[in-house]
Amino acid sequence: MAPPTGKRVKGVQIFRPFVYGTTARPFDEKTNPKPPGVPDDHTHSWTVFVKGIDDVDITYWLRRVQFKLHESIPNHVRMIEGEKGKPFTLSETGWGEFEITIKLYYVAESSEKPQTLYHHLRLHPYGRTEEEKETMKSSKEVISWCYEEQLFNEPYEPFYEILTSGAMPPSKNNNTKAGKEKEIPRSEGGVLDRSAMIPLTNRPGQPFSRETEAVEIKKLKEALVKVEELTKKTREEMMKKEQRLKELKADVLK
């Protein structure tokens, strides 16, 4: 961590959304053949990552990521340096599940201490809904992703300038005629690099959006209604039992 420069911007909080997690695939001769040299008892290939939501660049605030794997894995502590426009990823093979320690190192201008996250590598779709299991069965992938928001509380002035220097255009590609660059919209909603924007709708490979949020809110509201109904029913049953108990006591005292 670099020594602090400048003063903190008082009363200001800035957040940046990002995604971290793992994607695992069982070895299969047709869809995911086992590479030469992989131990016979390894059943899956998997990748752990940290990336911006909708794949936006986050290297302007995140400098490097350390992944600490199970100690049985050779070189089990890996440091991945940031590369502009690319996610922080690490790929391996194995047969067992374990907890991965993810340590985030911020850019020098932030003067902030590293933050640690913990994520459980999942190789099997247990604990999922039937719909999720069917999706994973068809895609041959076990996805365990988490949405997170990095909060910078009263950032130092140089870092504040970086965070608020303005949103950047979406990534471009050069695979167009005459080598001209063409902007590729990331999703409906116009998510830009260097912004805290969240996509309006889902698209393949990008499950976190305002649409997802709305669905989750709806599920929570429906669950709350069910809990209130069960609570009411339980309370009524308890009142009936208490009344019956009073009646029994009264009969005994007669």
Side-chain angles (χ1 to χ4, degrees):
M1 184 179 69
T5 56
K7 299 178 180 179
R8 287 191 177 274
V9 182
K10 298 296 183 180
V12 172
Q13 289 184 330
I14 296 178
F15 81 93
R16 288 294 180 266
F18 68 98
V19 181
Y20 68 94
T22 55
T23 301
R25 299 181 65 199
F27 284 124
D28 180 270
E29 291 184 0
K30 294 182 179 179
T31 61
N32 187 30
K34 185 180 293 187
V38 173
D40 292 338
D41 61 348
H42 284 200
T43 59
H44 290 72
S45 62
W46 54 265
T47 298
V48 58
F49 68 88
V50 176
K51 66 176 185 177
I53 192 167
D54 212 43
D55 292 329
V56 301
D57 178 52
I58 59 175
T59 57
Y60 67 98
W61 61 264
L62 187 60
R63 179 166 52 106
R64 62 168 65 106
V65 175
Q66 181 192 83
F67 296 104
K68 187 176 181 181
L69 313 177
H70 194 273
E71 293 181 357
S72 63
I73 298 175
N75 187 24
H76 70 282
V77 178
R78 316 277 181 90
M79 188 73 79
I80 307 299
E81 297 290 338
E83 188 174 349
K84 183 174 173 59
K86 294 185 178 181
F88 297 83
T89 62
L90 170 64
S91 296
E92 265 292 349
T93 65
W95 57 268
E97 300 182 350
F98 56 89
E99 186 176 69
I100 301 174
T101 302
I102 303 172
K103 202 167 187 178
L104 309 180
Y105 290 84
Y106 308 108
V107 296
E109 293 87 349
S110 73
S111 298
E112 299 289 352
K113 295 180 180 179
Q115 175 184 339
T116 302
L117 304 171
Y118 300 93
H119 184 78
H120 188 78
L121 168 64
R122 299 183 67 172
L123 303 183
H124 308 283
Y126 55 81
R128 299 285 187 171
T129 65
E130 291 303 317
E131 182 180 355
E132 289 174 328
K133 288 181 180 179
E134 285 300 317
T135 300
M136 292 183 183
K137 185 177 180 180
S138 61
S139 66
K140 303 293 184 180
E141 291 184 338
V142 178
I143 295 173
S144 179
W145 295 5
C146 298
Y147 171 89
E148 184 61 88
E149 292 181 355
Q150 176 62 60
L151 179 65
F152 297 106
N153 187 44
E154 297 186 344
Y156 285 98
E157 291 173 338
F159 191 41
Y160 176 80
E161 291 299 321
I162 291 174
L163 293 171
T164 60
S165 60
M168 306 296 288
S171 298
K172 302 176 180 180
N173 71 29
N174 295 317
N175 298 324
T176 55
K177 294 181 179 180
K180 294 182 178 179
E181 293 183 336
K182 179 182 178 182
E183 286 195 4
I184 307 299
R186 293 192 181 279
S187 65
E188 184 181 350
V191 176
L192 306 177
D193 286 346
R194 291 204 178 194
S195 77
M197 296 176 65
I198 298 174
L200 295 180
T201 59
N202 292 347
R203 64 186 181 88
Q206 305 294 343
F208 300 104
S209 67
R210 294 298 183 191
E211 178 184 6
T212 306
E213 184 180 51
V215 170
E216 290 301 315
I217 290 174
K218 182 181 178 183
K219 287 181 180 179
L220 289 172
K221 288 182 177 179
E222 291 174 349
L224 181 60
V225 170
K226 289 182 179 180
V227 169
E228 289 175 346
E229 291 175 350
L230 288 173
T231 301
K232 182 180 178 181
K233 183 178 179 181
T234 301
R235 188 181 295 113
E236 291 174 349
E237 290 177 351
M238 289 181 62
M239 291 176 65
K240 289 180 180 179
K241 290 179 179 180
E242 289 174 355
Q243 180 61 35
R244 179 55 180 162
L245 181 60
K246 288 180 180 180
E247 293 173 353
L248 292 173
K249 287 182 177 180
D251 290 340
V252 170
L253 294 175
K254 284 183 180 179

